[in-house]
Amino acid sequence: MKLPGIKGFDEEAFNKYFKNTGWLMFGKILSMVVGFIIAGYLGASSFGDLSFASAFTMIMAAVAALGLDSFIIREIINEPAKKDEILGTALLMRLIVSLLLIPATVGVYLLFHRFADHPGNPLTWVIVILSLAYFFKSFNVIDSYFQSQVASKYVVKVQNVCVILSVIVKILLVWFHLPVIWFAAALSFDSLSLAAGLVYMYHKRGFSLLTWTFSRSRAVKLLKQSFPLILSAVMVSIYMKIDQVMLKDVGSAEVGIYSVAANISEAWYFIPVAIVTSVFPAIIHARKTDLERYTKRLKNLYDLLVFISLPVAILISFLGTDIIHLIYKDAYQGAGQMLSIHIWSGIFVFLGSASSQYLLAEGYTMVSFQRTAFGAVANVLLNLWLIPKYGGIGASVATLIACFISTFYLLFIPKTRLQGVMMLKSLFLFTAFQKIFKR
């Protein structure tokens, strides 16, 4: 598949990046299908409990990544001879923080459960098991190394093998009619198998974790650089997942109904991540060598992401109810309306993924934090207002508005306003039409 002939796009480069994205497609489709099966088997209430626990631990574990992913990539590109020091330092930092977060997550949940108006069944052990997943995700530093070498295909191969294994395990859980806690264990097993696969692939490429070293000065440097992104990651998790946590007060069933809609809406969010991470090294290189080319690449990236996301949003907004009924029959009534609203958030998530790389390339990490914090606060406030009145539909509206606010916060900062204007032009297809009529 090739990008349509719109003047200004680098078709050869994009086709390469699209191929990398295509590697992910098989695994993502399998994961989505098994997600449908699990939701159908558990029912709205039990699936709501699992979704709540997953969202809760995800918010707490946002700290565990330490905001290091993009910095690892940048550091390795800038200092390839220091690869072992960079990776070893990042891994040890993540492992320590992940271990500390497990008891902290359980403690916060117990407080939440104690003071909630409608706490439901205790999910303490589910929370414990899901928290373990983020310990194993520390090994994703290996993924960052492969990204720095524009060699994500090796990681995707590992991911696809792990997805197949995950599908088999989860189908067996459904087959044997096991309870929610087993599905939580399966999610942690997914992270463990991926960590093992990444280590195997790294060694297969002729490297070894045994050569990795820890540098205290490197750790301090990375923490100073990434601290705003740690807070930013927490804020991203809040405005993406806080709705499922806050909906728990309405009831587990409402969480389950909303979650199936959100899961379908978010199922393709790997596409902007795959595209943006693929082009990030090229963007960094252009930033150093040719500012005009750098700006052109960013503009083309915004156009491309709107070109992908806008038609999907329009289509799903009309077919949301039919899609939910086709998959779940009448088990999740109301999810179709939520999906039709929530799907529009994807446009702003796509643009936000691209502009985040611009902020990183320019060193505007504090702006990155500010915009996600602003979006997170907006989402919490909107959820406080809309969820009691409209339940999951209110949560969908809150997420949509929060994503818009976060993405276009750049318009309010003088030094980033031009990027905000570029995204607006892409959103309203101005630059796309300009390219068409200049042909």
Side-chain angles (χ1 to χ4, degrees), residues 1-45:
M1 179 176 178
K2 292 186 176 181
L3 184 69
I6 301 176
K7 187 177 180 181
F9 281 103
D10 186 344
E11 291 188 45
E12 182 179 353
F14 171 66
N15 287 327
K16 174 185 175 182
Y17 304 141
F18 186 85
K19 183 178 179 181
N20 286 342
T21 305
W23 278 93
L24 287 169
M25 193 71 71
F26 174 70
K28 293 297 180 180
I29 291 174
L30 271 182
S31 296
M32 183 171 62
V33 171
V34 79
F36 296 157
I37 295 171
I38 291 171
Y41 162 70
L42 290 177
S45 183

Side-chain angles (χ1 to χ4, degrees), residues 102-362:
I102 294 173
T105 301
V106 175
V108 173
Y109 167 71
L110 291 174
L111 288 174
F112 177 90
H113 187 266
R114 178 179 177 83
F115 294 105
D117 292 334
H118 302 91
N121 297 323
L123 300 171
T124 308
W125 283 109
V126 174
I127 296 290
V128 171
I129 293 170
L130 287 173
S131 296
L132 291 172
Y134 295 95
F135 173 80
F136 302 123
K137 287 188 177 182
S138 300
F139 289 88
N140 284 358
V141 296
I142 299 173
D143 184 6
S144 297
Y145 166 73
F146 283 116
Q147 287 183 35
S148 73
Q149 306 303 301
V150 196
S152 295
K153 64 180 181 180
Y154 299 114
V155 177
V156 175
K157 289 178 181 179
V158 172
Q159 288 174 336
N160 285 340
V161 172
C162 292
V163 165
I164 294 172
L165 181 61
S166 173
V167 167
I168 294 171
V169 169
K170 290 169 185 173
I171 292 297
L172 287 173
L173 297 182
V174 173
W175 180 268
F176 289 107
H177 303 286
L178 294 175
V180 169
I181 193 168
W182 285 89
F183 291 91
L187 292 174
S188 287
F189 175 75
D190 290 348
S191 298
L192 172 61
S193 61
L194 179 58
L198 289 172
V199 172
Y200 168 78
M201 184 60 71
Y202 187 75
H203 280 258
K204 187 178 179 181
R205 299 299 301 166
F207 305 110
S208 173
L209 269 64
L210 298 178
T211 63
W212 289 8
T213 59
F214 177 81
S215 167
R216 183 176 178 180
S217 60
R218 176 77 64 178
V220 172
K221 176 186 176 183
L222 287 172
L223 277 177
K224 284 182 178 179
Q225 291 177 327
S226 67
F227 183 73
L229 291 184
I230 298 173
L231 299 177
S232 180
V234 174
M235 294 301 173
V236 167
S237 297
I238 287 174
Y239 90 74
M240 293 301 292
K241 295 297 180 181
I242 196 64
D243 39 19
Q244 296 181 32
V245 174
M246 296 178 72
L247 271 171
K248 188 69 164 62
D249 207 41
V250 179
S252 295
E254 189 73 5
V255 179
I257 293 169
Y258 174 79
S259 295
V260 298
N263 288 347
I264 295 173
S265 177
E266 296 168 4
W268 64 322
Y269 284 5
F270 73 93
I271 291 178
V273 173
I275 292 174
V276 169
T277 53
S278 293
V279 304
F280 182 55
I283 289 175
I284 289 290
H285 179 72
R287 175 68 178 83
K288 294 179 180 179
T289 59
D290 189 341
L291 290 179
E292 183 178 350
R293 190 179 186 188
Y294 168 66
T295 301
K296 181 181 177 181
R297 283 181 171 176
L298 285 170
K299 186 184 297 183
N300 289 344
L301 182 58
Y302 296 146
D303 287 344
L304 170 61
L305 294 176
V306 171
F307 180 83
I308 295 171
S309 60
L310 183 58
V312 173
I314 294 172
L315 182 65
I316 299 297
S317 62
F318 285 106
L319 299 177
T321 300
D322 294 327
I323 291 170
I324 295 295
H325 181 74
L326 177 65
I327 299 170
Y328 299 111
K329 303 301 180 183
D330 297 324
Y332 288 89
Q333 290 188 10
Q337 292 173 291
M338 300 176 196
L339 174 59
S340 296
I341 298 168
H342 198 288
I343 192 66
W344 287 90
S345 303
I347 298 174
F348 308 117
V349 170
F350 274 47
L351 288 172
S353 296
S355 58
S356 291
Q357 300 305 309
Y358 156 76
L359 294 174
L360 182 61
E362 295 292 334

